[in-house]
Amino acid sequence: QVQLVESGGGLVQAGGSLRLSCAASGSMFSIKTMDWYRLAPGKQRELVATITSDLTTQYGDSVKGRFTISRDNAKKTVYLQMNSLEPEDTAVYYCHTEVRGYKGTLYDNWGQGTQVTVSS
């Protein structure tokens, strides 16, 4: 139905920056929300940031002020600019979208995850 292709993960030193990208493709009428989650070993999945179709944003407490989420509707892409990275940010980051299909049905879609590792 919908495929999410992520890019931008990697290894960075503490204090550095990375930008994650996630492009949606496939059959969809509109994208309601675009989000980033992360999962570290032994921890529960955590919402990092979310952005709605009207560009309202929300951030997790641990990343607020350091991360910025944005979206490009023409490219069907969501970005996560991560600045001042800390070792505690190390996790697998997952792109998520809530998509409305042509029949009006809402679909949750998940990317494959991209590893972000922050070294000290």
Side-chain angles (χ1 to χ4, degrees), residues 78-99:
V78 61
Y79 305 94
L80 184 67
Q81 179 66 47
M82 304 185 293
N83 297 326
S84 301
L85 284 163
E86 305 168 351
E88 291 73 22
D89 296 317
T90 296
V92 178
Y93 285 70
Y94 294 92
C95 176
H96 170 263
T97 65
E98 186 179 22
V99 172

Side-chain angles (χ1 to χ4, degrees), residues 52-91:
T52 66
S53 58
D54 66 352
L55 304 185
T56 300
T57 59
Q58 182 179 357
Y59 297 92
D61 291 339
S62 62
V63 307
K64 190 173 184 178
R66 300 187 296 119
F67 292 8
T68 302
I69 189 171
S70 61
R71 63 189 283 172
D72 185 330
N73 289 333
K75 297 180 179 180
K76 299 179 181 178
T77 300
V78 61
Y79 305 94
L80 184 67
Q81 179 66 47
M82 304 185 293
N83 297 326
S84 301
L85 284 163
E86 305 168 351
E88 291 73 22
D89 296 317
T90 296

